[in-house]
Amino acid sequence: MIIFENVSFSYERSKPVITDLSFRIDDGEAVGLIGANGAGKSTVMKLLLGLLPAEGRITVDELEVNKQNLSAVRRKLGFVLQNSDNQMFMPTVYEDMMFAPLNYMVSREEAEQRVDAVLERLGLQGLKYRHNHKLSGGEKRMAAIATILAMEPEVILMDEPTSALDPYNRRIVINAIRELDQTRIITSHDLDMIFDTCDRVILLSEGRIAADGPADVILRDRALLEANHMELPLSLCSRE
Amino acid sequence: MNKMEKALGELGAMDELASQDSPVHRLNAAAKLLSTIAYIITVMSFGKYQLSGLIPMLLWPVLLFQISGIRVSTCFYKLRIVLPLVMAVGLFNPIFDRHILLRIGGLAVSGGVVSMITLMLKGVLCLMMSFLLVATTPFDTICAAMRQMHVPKTLVTLLLLTYRYVGVMTEELAIMTDAYHLRAPGQKGIHVSAWGSFLGQLLLRSMDRAQELYSSMLLRGYHQHFHYAPVRPFRTRDALYLMLSVGLFIALRLVDAAQLLGHVFVR
């Protein structure tokens, strides 16, 4: 369970990015974090990951996100970066997938089993020994997700998982996200993807929660979305 | 594809060469590293006029190229930028050292010419062996071998991350160069007036990406300790390889094999 209690953050004192944010995400929930550019979505992710210092209290399974607990907290969280190139820094997919389990003192044999299991689950066996620099954009994104799944995190955070993907690869990524059973927090401007993958949506506006509720309700609210510089998902527009 | 992207591709191609399979690839990385160091020390220890003694040292890399299945031409292609610099090292020797060292038929050869060729050959040999090490051993494995040899952790991690970040910086440079040329058609290179801002932007962008990469490592449990790929165990054949190579280098250093061979035919 993730709890944000009165969390605030600012890069400069005069310009708060996040203001008095409070919400709770239960285990197994799939939550879409949406909002216009600069609304604070990525900052919320970074605060949760302990990459930025927060004012207020953030807890993950009752562990407060602070210096003392950082390692334990991060072990529970898997973060898929927006730019897969920034995530995949080892020469091959296999080595990248082994990186996290070995850091968490999982034995090499068990780590290899995890890698094989994840690749099989995502249907990516063919990528195992491929060199990262030779992967296509879609393959790289799937491999980035695989590296995180090999960590066996309890919560998966994704920053724009479908950005810069063609429709075919986008669909593959969406299907992969839908099949995950962990708690998921996804930030994106791709509201169709959020509609497909999330049960709940938190809409951020200027660092505050503008709406929090079922995806089916919030993503159908044209007035709310337009007031926050967004539009109805295309799939819902065509049904109107 | 611009020059930077090609460079990036070549960096990746080195990783691919290193992941091939051959008897040389299968050797223990520490054995190869030690043998390479011994080779370089031996080559560098030759005197400036000991050209004939140095020539047989070519045998070892040529033999390794044959066994590893890597083409010598690949080596020279990859080293094409560094080689001219190495070759240029002794370029002025013939001007400063003019005393006649030997005569070939009626042709007088000065000490400067011999020392220049010796220096060039030394450089080429050392580069060839270094290339062979990197082309037959993944960089991570070389780092792991260095750790086995108790090279300080900080130094090894620094080497490994530098190797990784070279790729990151080259990628950024490729993107920026493309963006520049798209708005400066027909211009060769980057104009001097743009160098300052270009380099500044490159530094800032590389730092941003490096920071993002480092965050990604931290979020996956990195704590200043790399778990290197397992190094192949040091077996009898590795010991044999090391002893044979070092023995050969010492023998070739002590005995001028080329001169000896010459005496067999010419008395």
Side-chain angles (χ1 to χ4, degrees), chain A residues 75-88:
Chain A
R75 191 170 188 156
K76 292 172 181 287
L77 308 172
F79 183 40
V80 181
L81 273 73
Q82 181 177 358
N83 184 351
S84 308
D85 283 326
N86 291 349
Q87 186 161 334
M88 314 278 290

Side-chain angles (χ1 to χ4, degrees), chain A residues 7-210:
Chain A
V7 174
S8 298
F9 175 79
S10 60
Y11 291 100
E12 294 168 47
R13 264 183 192 279
S14 55
K15 289 181 189 169
V17 181
I18 298 293
T19 313
D20 205 23
L21 202 67
S22 297
F23 62 82
R24 168 185 157 151
I25 295 173
D26 289 321
D27 291 343
E29 266 194 293
V31 179
L33 209 55
I34 62 169
N37 289 334
K41 306 181 294 291
S42 298
T43 307
V44 168
M45 292 275 203
K46 286 182 181 170
L47 291 170
L48 177 56
L49 291 159
L51 290 172
L52 294 173
E55 270 177 52
R57 188 176 149 88
I58 303 171
T59 54
V60 178
D61 287 344
E62 293 174 8
L63 274 174
E64 188 169 352
V65 179
N66 57 28
K67 265 193 174 175
Q68 288 76 44
N69 298 329
L70 213 50
S71 179
V73 167
R74 284 178 177 170
R75 191 170 188 156
K76 292 172 181 287
L77 308 172
F79 183 40
V80 181
L81 273 73
Q82 181 177 358
N83 184 351
S84 308
D85 283 326
N86 291 349
Q87 186 161 334
M88 314 278 290
F89 52 86
M90 300 295 272
T92 62
V93 174
Y94 165 75
E95 286 165 274
D96 232 306
M97 289 181 73
M98 292 286 281
F99 182 79
L102 292 179
N103 279 330
Y104 287 121
M105 299 301 161
V106 173
S107 71
R108 196 164 273 279
E109 292 72 30
E110 196 192 327
E112 286 196 10
Q113 281 171 6
R114 277 191 195 185
V115 168
D116 286 334
V118 170
L119 288 173
E120 194 182 335
R121 182 173 160 196
L122 298 178
L124 301 176
Q125 296 95 322
L127 296 189
K128 187 173 178 183
Y129 295 112
R130 291 270 301 277
H131 283 258
N132 286 335
H133 72 279
K134 290 216 163 166
L135 300 178
S136 69
E139 288 172 335
K140 219 175 260 183
R141 192 62 54 89
M142 287 301 290
I145 294 173
T147 61
I148 295 306
L149 289 183
M151 274 175 72
E152 297 190 347
E154 290 166 29
V155 181
I156 295 183
L157 310 165
M158 293 181 169
D159 193 3
E160 297 281 1
T162 53
S163 66
L165 291 183
D166 61 42
Y168 175 76
N169 282 306
R170 177 179 170 276
R171 181 48 56 192
I172 290 176
V173 170
I174 289 175
N175 289 340
I177 296 172
R178 287 173 66 156
E179 281 171 22
L180 300 174
D181 40 22
Q182 289 96 334
T183 306
R184 279 150 286 161
I185 305 174
I186 304 168
T187 71
S188 184
H189 293 296
D190 180 352
L191 298 189
D192 284 283
M193 182 271 291
I194 295 285
F195 189 72
D196 269 357
T197 56
C198 299
D199 323 309
R200 177 182 161 197
V201 163
I202 296 175
L203 170 58
L204 290 178
S205 174
E206 293 175 358
R208 295 170 192 272
I209 294 180

Side-chain angles (χ1 to χ4, degrees), chain B residues 35 60 63-64 67 236-252:
Chain B
S35 168
W60 189 248
L63 184 72
L64 290 186
I67 301 173
T236 320
R237 65 170 181 208
D238 303 307
L240 274 174
Y241 169 81
L242 190 58
M243 283 192 294
L244 178 77
S245 58
V246 174
L248 182 74
F249 304 154
I250 293 171
L252 289 176

